[in-house]
Amino acid sequence: SLYTGSRADVAAVAAARYAEAAVFDDPLVRVAGRRLLEAQFVALKGMFASAECRDVRVSVAHPQGGHGVGENVVSIDFTVFYRVSRFSSALTIQIRQTTHLQLAPNGLVEVHRDEWHNPMRHLAELPAPLRRAHGTWRRLFGVATSLLTIGAAALLERALAPALSVS
C-alpha cells in the first residue's frame, strides 16, 4: 500500500499501477509525474513511525455517459492512523479521507486526489486570489519535498552501499 507499505512497496505500487504522468493532489501538495508522486509517499515513511488504514470502503463510479475503463473513478474512503513515535501509541494523527483514483483507458491511475475530512479541506474553498496562491504554494511545496526525498534516499543508499557490500 502507498500509505502503509515499505519504500519498496511504494515503488512497486507506483510502477505497476500509476501512469508515468500521474498527478497526486491533496490539501498540502500537488505533483505531476510518477517519480514525484512516489516520493510523496516515501516521505511519509520518514515523517511517521508507522501508518495503519482502517474502515476502508471502495466504490467505482462511471461518470455521465461513461462506458470504458478509462472513464472509471475508484473512490476509497478510509481512516489512516499515523504513529508519530515508535515508543508511544498516544502520539497518533488520525485523518479521515477519501481517495479518488481516475483511471486511464489502460487501467493505470492518471489522477490520485486525496480529500481530507478535516479543516484542511477548506483550503480549496478560499476566495480566488488566495486559492491561486495556495495552488502555487502546493505545487512548489510538492516538487520541493519530492526532490528532497529523492535526494535524501539517494544519499542514504550511497551511505549504506559499503555496509551492504561487506555482508
Side-chain angles (χ1 to χ4, degrees):
S1 161
L2 293 175
Y3 296 93
T4 61
S6 68
R7 217 172 101 205
D9 294 336
V10 169
V13 169
R17 302 284 183 216
Y18 284 77
E20 187 64 39
V23 172
F24 173 72
D25 187 35
D26 76 11
L28 295 179
V29 300
R30 179 180 174 88
V31 294
R34 185 188 311 143
R35 187 167 184 223
L36 298 182
L37 176 147
E38 178 184 331
Q40 286 299 310
F41 288 95
V42 169
L44 289 175
K45 312 302 172 218
M47 292 171 40
F48 300 105
S50 67
E52 178 184 356
C53 295
R54 297 184 197 159
D55 306 319
V56 179
R57 290 184 313 251
V58 178
S59 63
V60 178
H62 301 279
Q64 196 82 23
H67 297 91
V69 170
E71 298 167 354
N72 287 342
V73 176
V74 177
S75 295
I76 308 163
D77 292 304
F78 61 99
T79 303
V80 62
F81 295 84
Y82 293 109
R83 275 185 71 191
V84 177
S85 168
R86 279 174 259 209
F87 308 109
S88 172
S89 60
L91 298 172
T92 300
I93 297 170
Q94 175 181 332
I95 299 177
R96 180 85 191 141
Q97 72 180 54
T98 303
T99 295
H100 300 286
L101 304 174
Q102 182 179 334
L103 305 181
N106 63 5
L108 295 177
V109 177
E110 286 184 314
V111 178
H112 176 139
R113 180 166 291 115
D114 284 348
E115 293 177 4
W116 296 351
H117 303 291
N118 66 24
M120 292 289 287
R121 71 180 174 173
H122 297 297
L123 290 171
E125 301 164 5
L126 291 169
L130 293 175
R131 187 172 51 245
R132 279 191 296 278
H134 178 248
T136 299
W137 180 84
R138 285 174 49 233
R139 286 187 295 280
L140 292 173
F141 186 63
V143 169
T145 55
S146 287
L147 293 176
L148 283 170
T149 300
I150 292 166
L155 286 173
L156 183 62
E157 286 174 18
R158 277 191 220 119
L160 292 177
L164 294 175
S165 65
V166 171
S167 28

